[in-house]
Amino acid sequence: MNRSFSKVLRTLVVAAGLSLSLASSLSFAERAPLVPLPSPSGVDHPLYVPANPSDLSKGSEAQSRPANTAPPASQSIWGTANSDPYNYVSIPDKEASVLIQRAGQQWRVIRNGVITVYGGWLLALAFFGVIAMYTLKGPIKLHEPLSGTKIKRFNAFDRLTHWTMAFSFIGLAFTGLMILYGKYFALPLMGGVAYGSFLMVCKNIHNFTGPLFTLSIVIFFLLFVRKNIFGEGDMAWLMSFGGIFSGKHVPAGFFNFGEKFWFWFGMVFLGLIISASGFVLDMIVPFMDIQYLRGTMQLANIIHSSAAILMTAMAMGHIYIGTVGMQGSIDGMKTGYVDATWAKEHHEIWYNKINK
């Protein structure tokens, strides 16, 4: 009798438990589906990147505010990078006293979402634009046959500085892209251990090559700043886009307007911004007392990545025109001399000056 009662009681308890579980499941099922949590490293998967990546800047903070209003400027990463209160710690590192660094999540969203997405599209657009230009139009040919007469354009030191800057830039671009995008394609192929070792090598190459790139920019600037002053022929070249679409010859000086724009904006402006922010990230800023706090490093990382992606996209066009995109253009930096026909067709103002 007691055994029968125990069996019945256990049956009732199990039935009640199943009923409560079913009821709770139905209750949760009626709720709106929850937004999946981001991965530990931030917005690391396409599922977490919305159709409009600019919405990422609102972050999880926006979900807790009425109507998802954007945060005021004072609460963005630019205003809160190093604004967190410091508590007391008995060790020298005062950064350890910050329990929650509020700008950290904002930086992660901008870096892994906005910069990664828009930067990737910009690089893809530049790369496939160059491929389309070569496929549809082909390299720019000379209108006259080569004369065989050589004109000196660059000396040995000019070329050494240029190639030092070029190869250091390629090394920085490759390793930088691996650091930014490698986890999306290299990590699944290589595995965590091998990818971690590979990324550490890339990081060290990137860090030690940076100062060499900066030095070459400074030297190249001093060598060619006078020849890159805007002057005769530049406005005509700009108005006709260098004759790239019309195919007509546009007279230019030692450097044309396109080369001068690359010199001032691409090499000097972007190059020095990349170098300055890179020095902050490497913690080697000279002649200044800088506190390398988390917020400072995050802001430097955003500036560094954005400028580097833009410079890399522009460099694709420069490399294309300087190699396979224009007949005879690489000769000047390879041997120091160019053919007289090339000089007359592409830099007629300079050609006339040296032949007076």
Side-chain angles (χ1 to χ4, degrees), residues 293-316:
L293 306 177
R294 288 190 188 96
T296 303
M297 307 300 275
Q298 289 161 355
L299 293 178
N301 179 263
I302 291 174
I303 296 171
H304 188 80
S305 301
S306 302
I309 288 175
L310 181 56
M311 185 177 186
T312 302
M314 293 181 62
M316 290 184 189

Side-chain angles (χ1 to χ4, degrees), residues 106-119:
Q106 299 175 32
W107 165 79
R108 188 180 297 109
V109 167
I110 294 173
R111 192 262 192 190
N112 292 348
V114 179
I115 293 177
T116 301
V117 173
Y118 286 127

